């Protein structure tokens, strides 16, 4: 009886997890067609506590991420999620740090082997596809586990005289795609909502260097819900006029944050100025003498003179329109 009761409790615990034991091996599909181990890898990225973003501009691309030092005894210069793969390609990693280091090492080997074999630098899309192929291999062998890391890859592809910025994202399931802007990590959904609203407002916008960097910073500032400091973020960029993957210094980040604050202040002053102009309009002429001395019946719209009473314009804020 005791053994039967224990078995019942174990079965109930398995059912309460919702996986019913189908999460014990990576190679076993659930009846709903799900691989729970892959979903757990995505959850490991979500629970990393960091959010990373990438934005592609007209002639540049940038990646940015939060910078958190886990221990006061750590040297801050040794803690980073930005990694250079080649001179013109870089990646920001989000998730389990040892898995990230393993992925970065593998991509560096792949890029070096490609250049040795073909004599030119590996294109960004080819590198992203290779990263996705390797991640997919980890989902189909019982002796492996998925890598709990998401990669946002940026670089400059040189095609003749044309230099084109590229932005890709790879996930633990082995899926990759090119993006105008993307994110990964703890507040991925909030960051994607920010980008969707910004792109929907101006779908054909082609950001220059400053707008690209400020869009990435604005997204992080929006999801954090507080003003950022230069020490709170890491930013790396690639530009068509300088294709190398380089980090921004604290002074450069602070300059971009200051420019964002001044722009927001100017927009606020412009809105306030528009409201004051509407309030400064001269009042309409007084037609009280044209109205009949007796009150009109309830519900009547017209007046004795055959015209409606004047209506005073009222200003409404842009948010109320």
């Amino acid at each position: 009886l005791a053994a039967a009761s224990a078995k019942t409790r174990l079965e109930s615990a398995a059912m309460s997890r919702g996986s019913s034991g189908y999460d014990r091996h990576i190679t076993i599909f659930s009846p709903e067609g799900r691989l729970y181990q892959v979903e757990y890898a995505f959850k490991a990225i979500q629970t990393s506590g960091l959010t990373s973003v990438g934005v592609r501009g007209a002639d540049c691309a940038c990646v940015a991420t939060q910078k958190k030092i886990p221990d006061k005894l750590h040297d801050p210069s040794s803690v980073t999620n930005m990694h250079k793969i080649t001179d013109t390609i870089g990646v920001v990693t989000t998730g389990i740090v040892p898995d990230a280091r393993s992925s970065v090492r593998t991509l560096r080997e792949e890029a070096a082997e490609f250049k040795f074999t073909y004599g030119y630098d590996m294109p960004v899309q080819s590198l992203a596809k290779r990263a996705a192929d390797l991640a997919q291999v980890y989902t189909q062998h019982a002796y492996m586990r998925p890598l709990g890391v998401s990669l946002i890859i940026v670089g400059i592809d040189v095609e003749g005289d044309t230099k084109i910025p590229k932005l890709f994202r790879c996930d633990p399931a082995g899926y990759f795609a090119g993006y105008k802007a993307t994110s990964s990590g703890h507040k991925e959904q909030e960051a994607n909502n920010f980008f969707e609203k910004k792109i929907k407002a101006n779908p054909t916008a082609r950001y220059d260097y400053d707008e690209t960097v400020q869009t990435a910073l604005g997204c992080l500032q929006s999801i954090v819900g507080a003003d950022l400091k230069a020490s709170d973020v890491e930013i790396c960029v690639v530009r068509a006029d300088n294709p190398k993957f380089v980090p921004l210094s604290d002074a450069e980040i602070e300059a971009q944050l200051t420019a964002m604050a001044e722009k927001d202040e100017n927009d606020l002053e412009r809105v306030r100025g528009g409201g004051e102009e509407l309030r400064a309009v001269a009042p309409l002429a007084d037609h009280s003498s044209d109205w009949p001395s007796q009150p009109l019946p309830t519900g009547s719209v017209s007046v004795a003179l055959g015209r409606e009473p004047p209506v005073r314009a009222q200003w409404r804020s842009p948010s109320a329109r």
Side-chain angles (χ1 to χ4, degrees), residues 242-263:
N242 181 22
K244 293 185 181 299
F245 181 79
V246 294
L248 297 187
S249 65
D250 286 351
E252 291 173 312
I253 296 174
E254 195 63 44
Q256 294 291 346
L257 290 171
T258 302
M260 288 172 53
E262 292 176 353
K263 183 179 179 181

Side-chain angles (χ1 to χ4, degrees), residues 92-243:
V92 57
T93 61
T94 312
I96 300 175
V97 175
D99 287 1
R101 288 204 310 270
S102 174
S103 297
V104 168
R105 185 191 70 246
T106 302
L107 292 182
R108 286 172 177 166
E109 293 172 356
E110 292 289 335
E113 183 177 351
F114 185 96
K115 187 171 183 178
F116 177 79
T117 303
Y118 299 102
Y120 61 94
D121 289 334
M122 191 174 192
V124 184
Q125 183 169 352
S126 299
L127 183 67
K129 182 178 183 298
R130 183 58 179 160
D133 290 343
L134 293 173
Q136 197 276 332
V137 170
Y138 282 81
T139 69
Q140 58 182 338
H141 292 288
Y143 56 87
M144 292 181 173
R145 69 163 176 81
L147 297 174
V149 63
S150 174
L151 308 176
I152 299 179
I153 304 172
V154 294
I156 298 290
D157 273 349
V158 180
E159 300 178 2
D161 295 333
T162 307
K163 297 179 180 179
I164 306 173
K166 298 286 186 176
L167 172 66
F168 291 90
R169 188 185 116 175
C170 306
D171 62 30
Y175 177 80
F176 85 103
Y179 291 87
K180 298 178 181 177
T182 187
S183 65
S184 64
H186 181 54
K187 294 189 176 181
E188 175 182 336
Q189 189 58 52
E190 292 88 337
N192 286 339
N193 291 341
F194 177 91
F195 288 135
E196 288 172 2
K197 290 179 181 178
K198 193 169 185 65
I199 292 176
K200 184 178 180 181
N202 192 0
T204 59
R206 294 176 59 83
Y207 299 142
D208 60 18
Y209 169 74
D210 289 332
E211 290 174 330
T212 303
V213 174
Q214 290 174 20
T215 298
L217 284 172
C219 179
L220 288 179
Q221 193 161 268
S222 174
I223 63 177
V224 170
D227 293 337
L228 291 176
K229 296 184 295 185
S231 59
D232 295 335
V233 294
E234 288 183 284
I235 300 182
C236 287
V237 298
V238 287
R239 307 174 66 174
D241 56 354
N242 181 22

Side-chain angles (χ1 to χ4, degrees), residues 258-288:
T258 302
M260 288 172 53
E262 292 176 353
K263 183 179 179 181
D264 291 342
E265 186 176 350
N266 291 337
D267 291 342
L268 183 59
E269 289 295 332
R270 191 179 301 114
V271 172
R272 289 175 177 173
E276 291 174 357
E277 288 177 4
L278 284 176
R279 288 193 294 271
V281 174
L284 297 175
D286 186 9
H287 295 279
S288 59

